[in-house]
Amino acid sequence: MTEEQAARELSLKDHLLAQIKATGPLSIAQFMQTCLLHPTLGYYTTRDPLGVTGDFITAPEISQMFGEVIGLALAQTWMDQGAPARFALAELGPGRGTLMADILRATKGVKGFHDAAEIHLIEASPVLQKAQLDILSGFNVSHHTTVTDLPKLPLFAVANEFFDALPIRQFTRDKDGWREHLIAAQDSALVMGLSDAAPIAALEHRVDDTTPDMRIETCPQATAIMSHLAQHIAQNGGAGLVIDYGDWRSNGDTFQALSNHKPVDPLTHLGTADLTAHVDFEALADAAKASGATPSLMTPQGVFLERLGITARAQILAGKLSGTALEQHIAAHKRLTHPDEMGTLFKVLGITPHGARPIAGLEF
């Protein structure tokens, strides 16, 4: 760790301790929000976290094939819906812009698609905004910090590893209701604690499938964003594609911190580690349905990519490679699709307007 990182951690720790002293223990959501997005000390606002030299690597950085087949799937959905003459092509949490660049390259030959597309990126990090503008320098790009700023056009949106970074709350079932996991101060250290037990109306639907001492996670921000996207798509047309790690229903503790591609203690690596949790796809699907859109079945990433023809694309690219480059290409295909790697851990959920076809590679 550099001296600058150590100083940033100490400053953020002092900020959190002062906040706890003033208002009491923090929810995990409040802790995540501060550590990730503090204007001058936050993880996402001060660095590029991606790639081999960063803290984690996402699917678009592993291989161009990922974005290429997704781009063609979106183009097919655009044609299925009558090829609207103007539409918003949006990405939530676009990283360095690699996925969008691959989508645009793959769809260059789809007649009318680029002429109709307006590119909109939802990004809070100034560092990543600059990287996105660099890689997409040939295109007119609009940046936003919230999905509510998207134009009232048909919306074709992708969110790859976006929802996992949104702030969560954790609760443990108790005989008298639910106890929330909180972050408190003990002397000069940050420690985990529990609130008193109380009934929580928003968790009544989880009483039947949990037992005392079971832990669950909620992400109000995720369901709010999905509700807005679904309402937008239901009213204006388009499609939404969510790709992330998680499962159909939240069970257990999945809150984690990652630094230099390794797990670390989230309470000690403040502002210098990525904080994430597994996505509750059931909650996203329910939010979409309640807002007027039709969610697809949750589908493993490997199955989704194979349906879109990623193996055929891999074989074409392999014909131009040899030696180490070929070995790396084969490994990238395996990493994206194999059940023991990203193929099963990552899931895909699509949303479309009522009556529209599902996104290619998905089914209702």
Side-chain angles (χ1 to χ4, degrees):
M1 181 183 297
T2 66
E3 289 185 10
E4 181 185 353
Q5 287 175 322
R8 188 180 297 123
E9 281 191 7
L10 185 58
S11 296
L12 191 53
K13 181 180 180 182
D14 289 341
H15 174 80
L16 290 164
L17 289 171
Q19 192 175 349
I20 291 168
K21 183 177 180 180
T23 61
L26 304 174
S27 68
I28 292 176
Q30 292 171 310
F31 176 79
M32 289 182 70
Q33 185 78 16
T34 301
C35 290
L36 295 177
L37 296 175
H38 185 281
T40 59
L41 302 172
Y43 178 76
Y44 285 128
T45 53
T46 57
R47 72 192 60 224
D48 176 355
L50 295 164
V52 176
T53 59
D55 296 316
F56 59 90
I57 189 166
T58 61
E61 305 288 334
I62 293 171
S63 172
Q64 67 186 66
M65 297 182 292
F66 182 80
E68 288 173 346
V69 296
I70 286 172
L72 293 175
L74 291 175
Q76 180 63 58
T77 304
W78 172 72
M79 291 187 289
D80 289 343
Q81 295 188 23
R86 285 182 65 217
F87 71 93
L89 178 61
E91 186 177 358
L92 285 64
R96 292 176 179 157
T98 305
L99 175 56
M100 182 59 73
D102 290 340
I103 287 172
L104 291 167
R105 186 181 63 257
T107 55
K108 184 168 57 175
V110 179
K111 186 178 179 180
F113 188 81
H114 281 202
D115 291 337
E118 295 182 5
I119 302 169
H120 295 268
L121 303 180
I122 310 300
E123 180 58 68
S125 166
V127 176
L128 292 177
Q129 283 185 6
K130 183 180 182 305
Q132 292 152 17
L133 291 174
D134 287 344
I135 198 171
L136 299 170
S137 59
F139 298 90
N140 184 19
V141 176
S142 297
H143 273 114
H144 312 280
T145 57
T146 172
V147 293
T148 58
D149 292 337
L150 291 169
K152 299 299 182 185
L153 294 171
L155 172 64
F156 293 81
V158 181
N160 178 63
E161 290 200 56
F162 169 78
F163 284 97
D164 65 83
L166 296 179
I168 62 154
R169 296 174 69 182
Q170 276 191 352
F171 300 89
T172 288
R173 173 91 179 273
D174 184 275
K175 60 183 179 62
D176 297 319
W178 299 88
R179 304 182 72 187
E180 182 166 10
H181 292 256
L182 302 171
I183 294 166
Q186 188 174 72
D187 299 324
S188 60
L190 296 171
V191 295
M192 296 293 296
L194 282 169
S195 72
D196 292 335
I200 298 178
L203 296 180
E204 280 300 309
H205 69 292
R206 295 305 309 270
V207 170
D208 290 340
D209 72 303
T210 56
T211 57
D213 297 327
M214 281 187 65
R215 191 182 308 198
I216 65 168
E217 296 168 342
T218 67
C219 187
Q221 196 172 337
T223 50
I225 290 171
M226 177 55 85
S227 294
H228 181 84
L229 290 175
Q231 185 178 42
H232 185 125
I233 288 167
Q235 293 176 353
N236 299 282
L241 191 62
V242 176
I243 307 164
D244 226 314
Y245 53 88
D247 220 321
W248 183 243
R249 181 172 293 168
S250 168
N251 283 307
D253 175 16
T254 71
F255 178 50
Q256 58 190 315
L258 201 66
S259 178
N260 195 27
H261 301 268
K262 296 178 181 179
V264 295
D265 182 353
L267 299 188
T268 59
H269 288 67
L270 304 171
T272 59
D274 186 33
L275 301 177
T276 68
H278 284 204
V279 173
D280 182 344
F281 280 89
E282 180 184 41
L284 295 183
D286 287 347
K289 192 180 300 183
S291 298
T294 301
S296 72
L297 292 174
M298 183 186 75
T299 303
Q301 175 177 291
V303 173
F304 173 68
L305 295 176
E306 292 292 359
R307 287 175 178 171
L308 294 181
I310 194 171
T311 294
R313 177 60 176 154
Q315 291 168 343
I316 291 171
L317 292 174
K320 305 173 184 178
L321 302 173
S322 62
T324 301
L326 178 59
E327 292 174 2
Q328 291 173 341
H329 173 65
I330 293 170
H333 175 264
K334 180 182 178 183
R335 186 168 180 184
L336 290 173
T337 61
H338 197 277
D340 291 339
E341 300 206 31
M342 296 175 74
T344 299
L345 174 63
F346 281 73
K347 311 297 194 304
V348 183
L349 182 77
I351 60 170
T352 45
H354 284 324
R357 293 179 182 176
I359 298 169
L362 301 175
E363 55 190 20
F364 295 138

